[in-house]
Amino acid sequence: MPSADLSRLAALHGVATSYSPSPDRTVAASVTAVTRALAALGVDAGTPEAVRAALAARERERAERLLPPTVVGWGTGVPPALAALPGGTRLLVRTEQGETRPSAENLPPGVHRVTATAPDGRTGEAHLIVAPPGLPAPPARSYGLLVQLYSLLSRRSWGMGDLADLGELADWAGRTLGAGFVQINPLHAAVPGPPTDPSPYRPSSRRFPDPVHLRIEDVPEFAYLSESKGEGAGAGVEGAEGRARLEGPLRRAAELREAVLDKGALIDRDAVWAAKKAALEAVVDEVPLGPGRLAAYRDFLAEQGQALEDHATWCALAEVHGPAWHTWPASLRDPRSPGTARARRELAARVDFHSRLAWLTDTQLTAVQRTAREAGMPLGIVHDLAVGVHPEGSDAWAQQDTLAPGMSVGAPPDAFNARGQDWGLPPWRPDRLAACGYAPFRALLQALFRYAGALRIDHVMGLFRLWWVPRGLPPTEGTYVRYDAEAMLAVLVLEASLAGAVVIGEDLGTVEPGVRETLRERGVYGTSVLWFERDWEGDGRPLPPETWRADCLATVTTHDLPPTASRLTGEHVGLRDGLGLLTRPLAEEHAEAAADTAEWLDLLTRLGLLHGHGTDGTVPTRADGTATTEEEARIQAVHRYLLRTPARMIGVWLPDGVGDRRPQNLPGTWDQYPNWRLPVADAQGRPVTLEGLTASPRLRALLDVVRTRTDRPGGAEGTGGVSGTGGAGGAEGTDGADRADAPGRT
């Protein structure tokens, strides 16, 4: 166990020396974990002498400083850290709007600089984050669709769902069915392959989107490939050559689309990107930007600045040296080195190409959000922010100074995963974030809010603390490192309020006391999944719907869980058994799953939510006059249950609408299961196109259940309300939900 001095030193740097996997149990962190976490923060704790020296230095620094690196203020009052300064201290505030003020009262929202001079002559300077007290609630109770974009293929996509498909879905759902939002997976830039890591939760960059999601035909210059590139007799020949360059990519796109939709092939992201990249190269090479488009592109370059230049440079270098930047020549591993500057000049054309792709993707993302809002959606597209980035990716290369070396984010052992988890994502250093006023986090949020009506934050508890796993050690040998949650939340609330966006925190699982309350106070919504909403501290039975919290996105399932049809039939148990994932005999697992389903069906029947098929003597029909199946009736019933809750946002997993059995991600698997590569399919596993989805009577019947009742307090089926916090129940404590959620990050 850590010594008293080491424990004190660790506490002063936010490093935990113990953790509680359950309310009645505390586990000590290993000395190795604590020592290596401190080392990643630049603190030598390798010997008792080093610990004592570092402890003395840290205590002296904290005693002498007048201000911490960053202070936070909410609303228009004086920030507490400034109000606590010695009497007579003079302040000078330089706002980011360009003003100079002698007081910290009534400051506009933003990240300012404050200088304090105490009567004893001490001075201090700090970043001052001023944010509104909290975010407003969504404009009204609404429902929306949840889908993994790559899985949403139309007859026009190139082998995986793209941004035009997303726009079509949002336009249809908003105009035809009154949906309020569409939530999708992270669209962050991936580390290129082959093979590319298919997980959207382990990206190369979280700040820049992946151009693999582009609809090539919607790039304005695409239409001009058959026209002249210049003037003179040779212009037509050049145009013909440009069009000829597209023949291969277009043919390949058709092959990939047919393979997935008609031949049962998996989504091949690498093949899709190869075809799109070739087409984009033809477009960029052959068709110059018009004056207006060129001006818009230059504005984008100026606005994105160094961050885009770094990302595009990494992409260009990865084409030459491979994506693992730790293996590059030493002169290129530092984004600010003379060698990198020289390489950037030599690869200027490729740097510009990748910058252009970032711009094109940004414009299509912005257009999708505009389409969703014009279709009547109050929120539009809900984007997803992954908890971290790939250690060999663009952000890890460009932001080395703010990431903890030799560390990875994960989760500690618990009753459902005795080995813990290592997600392979390097964490931000909390000290470096504070020193720069949380500029990287703010820039990341600004980039996402450009085109998001709402933002889901994966593992939102990471704003408070993260489980750091030293490289080379198992997850059991990790420890928690704490972040300044007030500062992180202030930046989040600041940027979301400026964008007029809603924030949804994925807060499933074991959550330390006070976290959900703090998030609620600041207007950050939570996530409630039906199967996990039980009275975990009592009898373990499902929570009555009226006791659910209102400030949440309520769903039946997620991308990391079995689709509802699979759970209701118990097929998910057979799938896990076939992959060797069960920890108990198959009969026990089947029995437990059957008992769980029976309990829910009994509750749904008692509440009058399970219509037809023997429950009330009738068999309901769809809008086209065909009868619903018993399975459909049960899926509709669990969604009626959601409507009984006061939740202000109701999410419908789109594959549930056509009876899909296959989870998009099966936690605990890697190559044993096709994670992140499956198209939306029907009950027989046959892919369903976007066109087929919008024409599906089964999907329409499910959405009719939700849309006709979402705007009523607590749903038309019973009690509840859309205002207030509602009952917390098991959602407010250690509900154990991360037993299914956390492994899905990788």
Side-chain angles (χ1 to χ4, degrees):
M1 293 182 62
S3 66
D5 283 346
L6 181 58
S7 296
R8 172 63 176 160
L9 177 64
L12 290 174
H13 288 277
V15 178
T17 54
S18 65
Y19 70 97
S20 298
S22 60
D24 59 347
R25 182 165 170 253
T26 299
V27 178
S30 72
V31 172
T32 300
V34 174
T35 300
R36 290 187 59 177
L38 286 169
L41 295 171
V43 180
D44 180 6
T47 65
E49 294 76 18
V51 168
R52 287 192 291 271
L55 179 59
R58 181 65 168 173
E59 290 178 333
R60 181 170 58 253
E61 180 266 330
R62 289 172 65 91
E64 294 176 353
R65 75 184 186 188
L66 196 59
L67 289 173
T70 294
V71 297
V72 174
W74 300 97
T76 58
V78 176
L82 300 182
L85 290 171
T89 298
R90 299 191 309 276
L91 297 180
L92 180 66
V93 180
R94 296 180 294 278
T95 72
E96 69 174 23
Q97 291 82 9
E99 299 178 279
T100 300
R101 299 189 181 189
S103 167
E105 289 184 294
N106 300 313
L107 290 173
V111 180
H112 317 302
R113 292 290 288 175
V114 58
T115 300
T117 303
D120 61 7
R122 288 183 299 155
T123 63
E125 189 170 3
H127 301 275
L128 171 55
I129 304 171
V130 176
L135 292 169
R141 195 185 206 212
S142 65
Y143 89 95
L145 305 176
L146 282 57
V147 66
Q148 301 281 287
L149 179 56
Y150 58 83
S151 72
L152 183 72
L153 282 76
S154 70
R155 286 292 176 183
R156 295 179 177 178
S157 53
W158 288 32
M160 63 181 283
D162 60 31
L163 292 172
D165 295 325
L166 177 59
E168 291 280 4
L169 177 68
D171 213 3
W172 169 77
R175 294 182 187 278
T176 306
L177 296 171
F181 59 91
V182 176
Q183 178 180 302
I184 56 175
N185 54 285
L187 302 187
H188 309 319
V191 176
T196 296
D197 187 337
S199 172
Y201 292 94
R202 204 162 181 249
S204 171
S205 173
R206 296 189 293 173
R207 177 162 178 174
F208 295 100
D210 199 311
V212 75
H213 301 109
L214 283 168
R215 171 65 63 86
I216 303 300
E217 294 87 343
D218 285 356
V219 175
E221 288 71 36
F222 176 87
Y224 298 98
L225 266 179
S226 61
E227 299 185 5
S228 74
K229 184 173 74 170
E231 298 179 359
V237 176
E238 291 172 343
E241 291 175 352
R243 178 60 66 180
R245 291 179 63 181
L246 275 182
E247 292 179 0
L250 289 171
R251 182 172 56 253
R252 183 60 173 146
E255 294 171 352
L256 291 167
R257 179 171 58 245
E258 181 183 3
V260 175
L261 294 178
D262 302 326
K263 298 181 179 180
L266 298 175
I267 293 169
D268 188 343
R269 182 192 182 105
D270 289 327
V272 172
W273 174 234
K276 289 190 175 184
K277 183 179 179 183
L280 289 164
E281 287 172 336
V283 170
V284 171
D285 290 347
E286 303 293 337
V287 184
L289 295 173
R293 293 270 291 164
L294 181 59
Y297 175 47
R298 287 173 174 168
D299 283 349
F300 181 78
L301 292 176
E303 183 179 18
Q304 300 300 313
Q306 185 68 58
L308 177 57
E309 186 172 296
D310 286 343
H311 176 65
T313 299
W314 181 92
C315 292
L317 289 170
E319 291 177 331
V320 177
H321 302 286
W325 64 266
H326 283 99
T327 66
W328 292 354
S331 62
L332 301 178
R333 297 174 197 167
D334 180 355
R336 304 290 167 258
S337 73
T340 298
R342 184 168 54 253
R344 185 180 292 117
R345 291 191 297 270
E346 294 169 351
L347 298 171
R350 297 306 295 175
V351 172
D352 181 70
F353 173 71
H354 290 289
S355 298
R356 180 89 66 91
L357 299 193
W359 173 58
L360 292 173
T361 312
D362 181 86
T363 58
Q364 289 196 10
L365 282 163
T366 302
V368 170
Q369 173 63 3
R370 182 169 58 250
T371 295
R373 297 300 291 269
E374 290 174 352
M377 289 187 168
L379 293 179
I381 308 303
V382 181
H383 284 270
D384 199 348
L385 174 61
V387 70
V389 295
H390 196 287
E392 294 291 357
S394 164
D395 285 359
W397 176 71
Q399 299 178 12
Q400 297 174 52
D401 57 334
T402 58
L403 296 176
M407 290 289 154
S408 174
V409 174
D414 59 25
F416 299 91
N417 194 327
R419 293 187 296 270
Q421 301 165 53
D422 184 346
W423 304 330
L425 310 170
W428 266 329
R429 284 182 55 166
D431 58 329
R432 294 287 174 83
L433 285 177
C436 66
Y438 295 82
F441 185 46
R442 190 183 189 197
L444 170 60
L445 294 172
Q446 288 173 339
L448 292 168
F449 283 131
R450 288 172 63 89
Y451 40 74
L455 182 65
R456 173 190 181 270
I457 299 183
D458 190 42
H459 193 66
V460 72
M461 295 82 77
L463 299 180
F464 295 76
R465 64 178 185 176
L466 284 171
W467 183 257
W468 285 19
V469 181
R471 182 182 299 146
L473 295 182
T476 53
E477 291 294 314
T479 190
Y480 276 113
V481 175
R482 189 163 296 280
Y483 292 76
D484 185 343
E486 185 177 38
M488 299 283 278
L489 276 174
V491 173
L492 176 61
V493 170
L494 169 65
E495 293 306 324
S497 63
L498 291 174
V502 170
V503 178
I504 304 162
E506 184 271 287
D507 58 350
L508 302 173
T510 301
V511 183
E512 63 179 327
V515 168
R516 287 196 176 102
E517 292 78 5
T518 300
L519 293 172
R520 179 190 298 122
E521 178 186 1
R522 299 305 176 191
V524 177
Y525 269 38
T527 301
S528 294
V529 177
L530 180 133
W531 310 111
F532 298 149
E533 291 298 303
R534 291 177 172 271
D535 183 8
W536 297 108
E537 297 180 358
D539 58 14
R541 297 182 65 81
L543 288 175
E546 64 272 12
T547 66
W548 285 36
R549 51 185 171 171
D551 49 352
C552 74
L553 168 62
T555 69
V556 177
T557 190
T558 75
H559 58 267
D560 281 335
L561 297 173
T564 306
S566 178
R567 181 178 284 273
L568 290 173
T569 59
E571 293 177 35
H572 66 297
V573 177
L575 174 61
R576 292 179 62 81
D577 178 60
L579 295 170
L581 299 177
L582 298 184
T583 58
R584 296 181 298 172
L586 176 60
E588 288 186 23
E589 295 278 357
H590 265 308
E592 181 176 291
D596 182 80
T597 299
E599 182 178 33
W600 276 104
L601 293 176
D602 177 67
L603 176 59
L604 296 171
T605 301
R606 285 190 285 108
L607 292 176
L609 303 179
L610 184 57
H611 298 174
H613 297 281
T615 60
D616 58 9
T618 63
V619 177
T621 59
R622 308 187 187 107
D624 64 349
T626 59
T628 63
T629 65
E630 184 176 12
E631 175 183 291
E632 288 179 70
R634 291 177 173 182
I635 293 174
Q636 291 176 14
V638 292
H639 285 86
R640 290 189 182 96
Y641 190 89
L642 294 184
L643 295 169
R644 282 279 187 101
T645 75
R648 292 182 63 91
M649 297 178 68
I650 305 293
V652 179
W653 179 238
L654 186 61
D656 274 351
V658 288
D660 201 343
R661 259 60 174 172
R662 306 174 302 179
Q664 283 295 315
N665 178 53
L666 189 57
T669 63
W670 178 243
D671 56 0
Q672 309 98 313
Y673 183 81
N675 296 317
W676 318 112
R677 290 174 286 170
L678 295 171
V680 176
D682 63 16
Q684 288 72 45
R686 297 172 301 202
V688 181
T689 63
L690 172 61
E691 295 85 353
L693 284 165
T694 58
S696 167
R698 176 170 176 166
L699 174 62
R700 183 63 176 260
L702 174 60
L703 297 184
D704 279 343
V705 166
V706 181
R707 73 168 179 133
T708 57
R709 297 173 175 87
T710 304
D711 59 348
R712 307 180 190 182
E717 299 290 339
T719 61
V722 298
S723 61
T725 59
E732 296 302 319
T734 304
D735 63 11
D738 65 348
R739 41 187 169 270
D741 167 75
R745 285 178 226 295
T746 56

